[in-house]
Amino acid sequence: MTINTFSQLRPFTIGYEDIFDHFENLMGHNVPNYPPYNIIKTGDYTHNIEVALAGYSKDMIEVIVEDKNLTIKSADLLADKDMNKGVVHKGIAMRAFTRHFSLAEDVEVKGAELKNGLLRVSLERVVPEEKKPKTIKIK
């Protein structure tokens, strides 16, 4: 889809302006490819984002949720001079990064865990009772 596609759809929609603006904004930016990540559907209303962070420790990473945006970023690794002390060959990339994810209104971040070089952020779509499907009993 191109930005032109969104412009073509606007006359047929009402109340979706924010969504179109959001996607146009995303498409206009160069999206980084580091660090690599997976998004895994773990249930009807749950997902995990897994980010490969070999060599990073918990104190080197920040997970921030603000205004329906999830940001995962590293601390300034260049400030830590001891990280490269004695390194003869550096083949494992450990550089500063920032990775953004947009969350829908009803998605909440339930937690984050760093284990074996993989950061797992758990997400859950919280659907209010009035929006859940219900079966109507026939009389």
Side-chain angles (χ1 to χ4, degrees):
M1 250 189 212
T2 64
I3 291 176
N4 190 33
T5 303
F6 293 125
S7 297
Q8 292 172 351
L9 291 173
R10 281 182 189 266
F12 304 105
T13 61
I14 298 170
Y16 291 96
E17 295 83 9
D18 290 344
I19 293 172
F20 288 136
D21 291 343
H22 176 74
F23 283 118
E24 286 175 357
N25 187 32
L26 282 176
M27 293 175 74
H29 288 86
N30 186 13
V31 180
N33 61 1
Y34 182 83
Y37 68 94
N38 297 325
I39 299 177
I40 300 167
K41 186 174 175 98
T42 56
D44 288 341
Y45 300 109
T46 56
H47 289 80
N48 284 338
I49 298 174
E50 296 178 337
V51 184
L53 296 174
Y56 290 82
S57 62
K58 287 190 259 187
D59 60 334
M60 300 165 91
I61 303 165
E62 290 182 86
V63 179
I64 303 161
V65 180
E66 181 180 13
D67 195 29
K68 291 301 173 188
N69 288 303
L70 169 64
T71 301
I72 301 170
K73 67 181 188 173
S74 68
D76 183 10
L77 301 177
L78 298 175
D80 190 355
K81 305 292 184 205
D82 291 335
M83 282 184 54
N84 293 320
K85 190 174 185 179
V87 175
V88 175
H89 170 75
K90 186 152 179 80
I92 299 173
M94 285 188 63
R95 55 185 179 254
F97 68 88
T98 302
R99 171 88 56 195
H100 298 280
F101 298 91
S102 295
L103 304 176
E105 283 296 318
D106 55 0
V107 173
E108 293 181 4
V109 176
K110 292 297 186 179
E113 176 186 27
L114 181 65
K115 186 176 179 182
N116 299 328
L118 197 64
L119 175 68
R120 180 173 288 120
V121 179
S122 301
L123 308 170
E124 182 177 0
R125 182 173 170 228
V126 180
V127 181
E129 283 299 319
E130 63 270 8
K131 290 189 176 184
K132 288 184 180 176
K134 57 185 169 189
T135 303
I136 307 299
K137 186 175 178 179
I138 301 173
K139 298 180 184 179

